Amino acid sequence: MKRFFPTLLLSFTLLAPLAAAAQAKTTPQTRQTVSANAQYVMQNGTVVLRQGNQNTGLTQNIRLANGTKINYKSGIVELPGGKMTTLREGDYVTAKGDIVFATPGSAAAARGEKAPADAQFDRYVEKGAAISPETFDARLTTLNTRLDLMAQKIQLLNQKISLLSVNAQRPTDTAQLDQQIQALEEQIRNIK
């Protein structure tokens, strides 16, 4: 027992410099919190932070909120599940940790495949992207029409309630109001 403690102490003394050297070689990782539209883009051989039209060079590796790790020098991305891929020029990682490939070749390389020479991507649209003014106007017109018809229906229903409550002893004929309400319901259903 007396020999055990000096040997243990000697082992720690000899191994301490090795542990310190190993720690010195690891690159620190920063848990990065940025705007929701931020992107970590591979540009000219390194990863830069792009927020809007502004690019900012990185000085250390990044760890996103979802656990995705990005090596800013090599472009190696490690996903939370342990899968790794390397970004190519123009590829980027979103603030949520999604990878967007710039070319079919880089997407194929990430899968371990070779892309055909004539491969092309469909246009990529991020969620929440703006719609065209024409589409917006068409949707707004449809919504306004639907709201107008519903307001008319409410008005007719209020008239019917009023007639039925005033003449509670004597039955009131509401057939004409019922037809109008039914016609409005049909118009509302047919709006696309």
Side-chain angles (χ1 to χ4, degrees):
M1 183 87 161
K2 290 181 181 180
R3 290 178 110 179
F4 176 71
F5 287 115
T7 306
L8 185 62
L9 185 59
L10 180 62
S11 298
F12 282 131
T13 306
L14 293 174
L15 292 176
L18 294 174
Q23 285 181 340
K25 287 184 180 178
T26 60
T27 306
Q29 291 184 341
T30 304
R31 188 171 286 270
Q32 187 78 14
T33 305
V34 293
S35 66
N37 62 351
Q39 302 166 344
Y40 295 92
V41 183
M42 179 58 100
Q43 188 176 58
N44 299 325
T46 63
V47 179
V48 298
L49 173 62
R50 178 169 56 199
Q51 294 192 79
N53 293 331
Q54 183 178 358
N55 290 343
T56 306
L58 299 174
T59 58
Q60 53 189 347
N61 294 338
I62 302 298
R63 179 186 298 252
L64 299 176
N66 75 337
T68 298
K69 300 173 191 172
I70 305 168
N71 184 306
Y72 78 101
K73 288 183 180 178
S74 65
I76 294 174
V77 178
E78 183 179 349
L79 300 172
K83 183 177 178 186
M84 296 175 77
T85 190
T86 302
L87 298 177
R88 290 184 167 186
E89 188 69 20
D91 295 349
Y92 65 89
V93 180
T94 66
K96 291 189 239 174
D98 299 323
I99 300 174
V100 178
F101 298 103
T103 65
S106 62
R111 292 189 309 266
E113 302 170 359
K114 184 174 180 176
D118 62 344
Q120 292 184 349
F121 276 145
D122 291 336
R123 185 171 171 263
Y124 179 77
V125 179
E126 290 197 38
K127 293 178 183 175
I131 60 173
S132 71
E134 295 81 19
T135 303
F136 178 79
D137 289 343
R139 288 181 184 174
L140 185 61
T141 301
T142 300
L143 180 63
N144 285 334
T145 303
R146 182 171 281 156
L147 288 173
D148 288 342
L149 291 172
M150 291 177 118
Q152 290 175 27
K153 180 180 174 184
I154 290 170
Q155 193 173 20
L156 290 174
L157 288 169
N158 284 333
Q159 285 178 6
K160 183 176 178 180
I161 290 170
S162 177
L163 283 174
L164 291 173
S165 63
V166 170
N167 298 323
Q169 276 100 6
R170 188 174 52 166
T172 304
D173 184 22
T174 60
Q176 187 179 6
L177 284 173
D178 291 337
Q179 288 175 351
Q180 291 174 340
I181 292 169
Q182 195 171 21
L184 285 171
E185 286 175 350
E186 186 67 29
Q187 287 179 335
I188 292 170
R189 270 195 299 269
N190 290 331
I191 294 176
K192 293 182 180 167

